[in-house]
């Protein structure tokens, strides 16, 4: 299974997030999953890759050329794919992913997560999307998303676009148990 992980570049966020990223990398590696991520060495990205590599996992990094030029890439990742820009990176991260996991992060992580959710709403991506809500990180966002249903910006069915867990060990079960999503989702993509 190829798991695309979106996560923070921040070094300065709480250590519990770095620890979760490392554990997630390890968990994916132990389960025989390939971890696909943004290729960075810093923050949760670096911790994720370190965790996966230390456990003998396969890691793919997808990084824009300008980031390589400023040496932001993780030196230990053998399969580092250098792309032209952020858009190409986002496309490449999601293409062929059997699941998406979002660890805590900033604007970059949220942008990537929302693109995946939006593509799934339009049935252009059909696989599980799991928020790893370390210490409730994603709770405010989930409340906001729920308000979108209440205000009829998205349909009630769209609650099934993502799921959320708080512990790393619950990520793989959440991927396994995610509601099936089919191309028919396009029938209720629009709110009427
Ligand atoms: P954020 O969640 O805002 O930290 O954003 C993560 C995204 O920011 C990733 O997609 C990275 O492309 C980008 N990014 C920002 N700073 C760095 C860095 N020092 N190294 C690698 N990627 C970075």
């Amino acid at each position: 299974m190829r798991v695309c992980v979106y996560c923070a570049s921040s070094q300065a966020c709480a250590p519990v997030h770095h620890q979760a990223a490392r554990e997630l990398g390890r968990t994916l590696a132990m389960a025989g999953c390939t971890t696909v991520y943004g290729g960075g060495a810093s923050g949760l990205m670096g911790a994720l890759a370190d965790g996966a590599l230390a456990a003998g996992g396969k890691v793919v990094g997808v990084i824009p050329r300008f980031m390589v030029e400023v040496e932001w890439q993780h030196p230990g990742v053998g399969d580092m794919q250098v792309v032209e820009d952020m858009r190409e990176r986002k496309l490449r991260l999601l293409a062929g992913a059997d699941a998406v996991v979002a660890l805590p992060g900033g604007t970059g992580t949220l942008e990537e997560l929302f693109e995946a959710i939006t593509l799934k709403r339009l049935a252009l991506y059909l696989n599980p999307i799991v928020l790893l809500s370390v210490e409730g990180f994603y709770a405010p966002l989930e409340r906001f998303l729920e308000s979108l249903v209440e205000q009829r910006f998205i349909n009630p069915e769209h609650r099934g676009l993502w799921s959320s867990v708080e512990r790393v060990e619950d990520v793989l079960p959440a991927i396994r148990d995610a509601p099936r999503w089919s191309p028919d989702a396009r029938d209720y993509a629009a709110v009427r």
Side-chain angles (χ1 to χ4, degrees), residues 106-185:
T107 51
T109 301
L110 294 176
E111 192 233 2
E112 291 161 342
L113 170 65
F114 272 93
E115 175 156 317
I117 290 176
T118 303
L119 291 176
K120 188 165 170 178
R121 176 177 175 183
L122 298 170
L124 297 169
Y125 167 77
L126 298 174
N127 294 327
I129 298 174
V130 177
L131 311 184
L132 179 42
S133 187
V134 180
E135 297 202 328
F137 175 84
Y138 280 114
L141 185 70
E142 289 179 80
R143 281 197 295 277
F144 184 70
L145 288 166
E146 184 55 32
S147 85
L148 297 185
V149 179
E150 284 154 18
Q151 297 181 70
R152 308 221 46 231
F153 285 107
I154 60 176
N155 283 319
E157 292 92 332
H158 293 138
R159 290 185 180 113
L161 285 168
W162 65 88
S163 56
S164 170
V165 297
E166 294 205 358
R167 299 178 319 165
V168 173
E169 59 263 44
D170 295 330
V171 168
L172 288 172
I175 290 173
R176 194 188 52 226
D177 299 341
R180 293 292 120 216
W181 204 257
S182 82
D184 299 343

Side-chain angles (χ1 to χ4, degrees), residues 57-76:
K58 188 163 183 283
V59 178
V60 177
V62 184
I63 194 160
R65 190 174 304 283
F66 81 91
M67 287 189 185
V68 174
E69 281 160 11
V70 286
E71 298 184 342
W72 284 356
Q73 83 274 26
H74 194 299

Side-chain angles (χ1 to χ4, degrees), residues 24-41:
L24 178 64
R26 195 179 114 80
T27 300
L28 294 176
M30 302 291 276
C33 300
T34 297
T35 299
V36 186
Y37 85 116

Side-chain angles (χ1 to χ4, degrees), residues 36-105:
V36 186
Y37 85 116
S42 73
L44 272 54
M45 280 192 281
L48 171 82
D50 288 344
L53 292 169
K58 188 163 183 283
V59 178
V60 177
V62 184
I63 194 160
R65 190 174 304 283
F66 81 91
M67 287 189 185
V68 174
E69 281 160 11
V70 286
E71 298 184 342
W72 284 356
Q73 83 274 26
H74 194 299
V77 173
D79 191 351
M80 187 67 74
Q81 303 180 5
V82 180
V83 295
E84 285 314 308
D85 54 32
M86 295 290 276
R87 284 183 183 198
E88 194 184 340
R89 178 208 232 176
K90 233 180 344 158
L91 275 175
R92 185 85 70 97
L93 285 171
L94 195 60
D98 298 299
V100 161
V101 179
L103 272 156

